[in-house]
């Protein structure tokens, strides 16, 4: 067994352990920190596959931005777990059935596609090889339709999130641009004449 394979199995073991702890940790902050560990070990595996751009993007974007936001939100909300766990036993059979179906599907996919040749070490490239260029070439040629569809779905999600947060609710302050444009100085400013004061 080579050194790269040893590193891969170490990262894979940590990744599986952290993934299980994400869904089994009782503390939401601990779950978010285990998710950070998942991202870091995933980026390590991508580095072994010579996908440096994806590894650095995963660390910078998800660990550096998204997970920090998650941690702040989780710590600020101080979620009360008691109401969330009240219906756990009622939905346990359905959840267990769905989990078994997902595990069976994953096992079927792995069993049919698992060969040693498909999981061989990546081929070595020259020193001037750019995996960012190769990724962009594949992304914008072979998978361009899937990329555009994903972009449209994200755009629709952003518009929906903005429209949901801008609903007219009682007691909320909102900005009405039309009324701001029609305002006059006389409505907002009142001139007061005062007598000048003389120093004694």
């Amino acid at each position: 067994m080579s050194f790269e394979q040893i590193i891969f199995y170490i990262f894979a073991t940590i990744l599986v352990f952290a993934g299980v702890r994400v869904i089994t940790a009782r503390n939401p902050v601990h779950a978010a920190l285990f998710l950070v560990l998942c991202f870091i070990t995933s980026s390590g595996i991508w580095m072994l596959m010579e996908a440096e751009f994806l590894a650095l993007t995963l660390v910078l974007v998800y660990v550096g931005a998204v997970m920090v936001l998650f941690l702040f939100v989780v710590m600020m909300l101080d979620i009360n777990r008691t109401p969330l766990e009240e219906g756990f036993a009622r939905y346990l059979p359905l959840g267990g059935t769905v989990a078994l179906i997902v595990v069976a599907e994953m096992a079927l996919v792995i069993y049919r596609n698992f060969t040693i040749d498909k999981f061989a070490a990546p081929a070595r490239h020259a020193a001037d090889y750019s995996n960012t260029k190769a990724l962009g070439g594949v992304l914008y040629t072979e998978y361009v339709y899937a990329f555009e569809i994903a972009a449209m779905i994200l755009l629709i999600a952003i518009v929906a999130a903005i429209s949901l947060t801008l609903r007219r609710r009682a007691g909320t302050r909102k900005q009405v641009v039309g009324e701001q444009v029609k305002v006059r100085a006389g409505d907002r400013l009142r001139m007061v004449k005062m007598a000048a004061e003389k120093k004694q």
Side-chain angles (χ1 to χ4, degrees), residues 6-199:
I6 294 173
I7 297 298
F8 169 77
Y9 284 117
I10 291 174
F11 280 156
T13 304
I14 296 173
L15 178 59
V16 171
F17 169 74
V20 171
R21 290 296 295 153
V22 168
I23 60 175
T24 57
R26 297 183 64 84
N27 191 336
V29 177
H30 293 169
L33 291 175
F34 277 114
L35 188 57
V36 170
L37 183 59
C38 285
F39 288 149
I40 292 174
T41 51
S42 298
S43 67
I45 292 175
W46 282 355
M47 289 288 285
L48 291 175
M49 296 174 63
E50 297 185 3
E52 297 88 3
F53 175 74
L54 293 177
L56 293 176
T57 303
L58 184 64
V59 172
L60 293 176
V61 175
Y62 282 92
V63 178
V66 176
M67 287 313 302
V68 172
L69 178 63
F70 280 5
L71 282 173
F72 276 120
V73 170
V74 167
M75 288 188 290
M76 282 192 301
L77 289 179
D78 193 18
I79 301 171
N80 186 11
R81 293 180 55 87
T82 304
L84 299 176
E85 294 176 351
E86 288 178 353
F88 178 77
R90 183 175 49 183
Y91 295 109
L92 185 60
L94 178 62
T97 305
V98 173
L100 287 176
I101 292 173
V102 171
V103 169
E105 290 176 350
M106 292 174 64
L108 187 63
V109 170
I110 292 173
Y111 175 74
R112 287 190 173 184
N113 296 323
F114 184 79
T115 57
I116 300 299
D117 296 335
K118 288 187 177 181
F119 295 94
R124 299 297 179 189
H125 300 286
D128 58 346
Y129 174 76
S130 172
N131 71 359
T132 307
K133 183 178 179 181
L135 178 66
V138 173
L139 189 63
Y140 291 108
T141 54
E142 187 175 352
Y143 299 104
V144 64
Y145 292 119
F147 181 76
E148 293 296 334
I149 290 171
M152 291 300 297
I153 291 173
L154 289 175
L155 178 62
I156 292 170
I158 291 172
V159 172
I162 294 173
S163 63
L164 287 175
T165 56
L166 290 180
R167 290 180 299 177
R168 297 180 181 272
R169 296 187 300 269
T172 59
R173 295 181 179 179
K174 55 185 176 295
Q175 182 178 8
V176 182
V177 180
E179 294 181 3
Q180 291 177 340
V181 172
K182 291 187 297 185
V183 74
R184 295 178 302 171
D187 299 333
R188 297 290 180 93
L189 183 65
R190 184 166 60 94
M191 302 296 294
V192 178
K193 291 184 179 182
M194 298 179 64
E197 295 184 358
K198 296 181 179 180
K199 291 184 179 181

